[in-house]
Amino acid sequence: MAAPSGTVPAAGSELARPKGGFMVPKSVILRKTTPAEASAHAIWTLRAALNVGALQCQYSPFLRTVKNYNEMLRHHSGDLARAQSTMVGHFRRHDGARALNSFDQYTTRTYNSFSTLDAQYSFCEAVGSAGRKLLLKQRGTLGDAAVELNPALRAALSQPPPLPAFDLSVLNGYAVPILVMEPEVEERRRRRR
């Protein structure tokens, strides 16, 4: 589905809710953006995903989510600073004096758009992979990397959990034991009534 005329769809935005688990968070969609703002949004979205991954995925040292996030902040600090400035400018253009408050709300919504327990394992794997790839990218190319990596991060959120959660259909075909009370227990129960 195409974006409405005159708008640039935000990088990684989805027009339809993906299939998967029951807790698939929606991506943040901005009001009308310029190409520079769309790129900054992609960068800020990627930063949020890696930050959430650093917090949620510490259970696996192999993924190196904390180390990769911290190294990404240092390696791509110039791109991140420009993206933040561009995003504040976006909100200044739309919200005037409330720009910083709007930017804070946007940042919170962006972080929340990556928070899920339903697909935590697949999300953590995707964040670990994205973090490693980002450290190989040259400075000044974070916008292109964000456009490349954000779809996989977003798709990882729609993966069903590795084990069926709340899906009782997995019991089909399995014998469920019938519990029978011993005669003495049954007699005591009848006397209490």
Side-chain angles (χ1 to χ4, degrees), residues 48-116:
L50 266 66
N51 187 271
V52 170
L55 296 170
Q56 282 189 353
C57 306
Q58 294 180 39
Y59 66 85
S60 173
F62 172 76
L63 295 174
R64 299 174 42 106
T65 55
V66 174
K67 187 169 180 80
N68 288 342
Y69 175 69
N70 289 329
E71 288 179 16
M72 183 275 301
L73 290 177
R74 282 189 289 278
H75 185 65
H76 293 290
S77 61
D79 285 342
L80 291 166
R82 283 187 293 281
Q84 181 179 15
S85 177
T86 301
M87 291 309 302
V88 169
H90 168 81
F91 289 107
R92 190 168 287 122
R93 185 165 58 87
H94 284 285
D95 299 329
R98 296 180 324 210
L100 292 179
N101 186 38
S102 295
F103 176 69
D104 286 344
Q105 291 173 354
Y106 157 77
T107 298
T108 299
R109 284 192 324 269
T110 303
Y111 277 66
N112 287 341
S113 79
F114 286 103
S115 184
T116 182

Side-chain angles (χ1 to χ4, degrees), residues 6 14 81 103 106-107 141 161 171 174 193:
E14 299 165 69
F103 176 69
Y106 157 77
T107 298
T141 63
L171 295 178
Y174 289 95
R193 289 192 220 170

